[in-house]
Amino acid sequence: MLIQSIEALWRAAEALQRPVVASRAPGVPVEEVEAVFGRAVPGDVTTWFGWSNGVAYAPGQVQDDAALVPGYEPLSVREAAAVRDGYGSDDPVLGDFYVPLLATGGGDFYAVVCERAPEHPPVAHVMIGGETDIVYPSVGAMVEAFCRFYRNGVFFVSDEGTLEADDVRWVAQESGARPSG
């Protein structure tokens, strides 16, 4: 089930003593998610926001403190709506209705493409100034991949104490390619 996978992802971050775990904002009910987006949303989206409504911010917090995966922080429902409104709906991969889940400070984000499947829609990765690609067949597949990346060392804590990624392996696995070497 998706909720167990989400819990496992947060436990993986906790095992590496990531500050985001202590900053996780409590989840919100389905009604709040739907009120913010003005329509019904897929169950995977409400499950995601039901577990965590983003990160509570504190004085002195840096972006790495809020990262659940390297460079990407979980969004609150309102932040997700703001990212969506700021990006627009003219991306043919995303279609007219999508919900961002994770984003960087630079504008890149992972989003559920709601119109592609009613209950378990795929997840796209949006790179500002780059291409938008469907990278996971569902939120569950994304979360399970991120858990695997923690287990396999694709995501790790650097000597400086920041959450980092082996970008070659991460991109290769998301694109379905095998890393060279």
Side-chain angles (χ1 to χ4, degrees), residues 4 7 24 36 46 57 67 72 84 87 125 129 133 153 168 174:
Q4 285 87 8
E7 290 169 354
R24 179 178 67 88
V36 168
T46 58
Y57 295 98
Y72 291 82
R84 184 188 181 290
Y87 186 71
H125 184 232
D133 294 306
V168 171
E174 281 191 351

Side-chain angles (χ1 to χ4, degrees), residues 21-180:
V21 175
S23 301
R24 179 178 67 88
V28 295
V30 171
E31 298 79 17
E32 185 171 337
V33 177
E34 292 180 347
V36 168
F37 287 101
R39 64 196 289 183
V41 296
D44 286 355
V45 172
T46 58
T47 299
W48 176 271
F49 288 113
W51 175 251
S52 173
N53 191 31
V55 176
Y57 295 98
Q61 187 179 48
V62 296
Q63 186 171 356
D64 183 64
D65 293 343
L68 181 60
V69 299
Y72 291 82
E73 63 185 70
L75 300 170
S76 72
V77 174
R78 295 199 185 287
E79 290 168 333
V83 167
R84 184 188 181 290
D85 292 345
Y87 186 71
S89 62
D90 61 347
D91 188 315
V93 174
L94 295 175
D96 290 331
F97 186 50
Y98 60 94
V99 177
L101 301 179
L102 298 154
T104 68
D108 299 345
F109 60 92
Y110 284 92
V112 177
V113 184
C114 299
E115 294 176 345
R116 296 214 179 193
E119 191 62 23
H120 303 291
V123 176
H125 184 232
V126 177
M127 291 193 65
I128 300 301
E131 293 188 24
T132 299
D133 294 306
I134 299 292
V135 291
Y136 297 105
S138 67
V139 175
M142 176 188 76
V143 173
E144 290 167 13
F146 290 163
C147 288
R148 193 171 52 255
F149 295 165
Y150 270 107
R151 281 192 311 273
N152 297 340
V154 174
F155 297 164
F156 60 93
V157 177
S158 72
D159 292 341
E160 293 78 31
T162 59
L163 186 61
E164 301 290 336
D166 179 331
D167 291 328
V168 171
R169 289 172 59 201
W170 188 359
V171 170
Q173 290 185 41
E174 281 191 351
S175 69
R178 300 265 183 217
S180 59

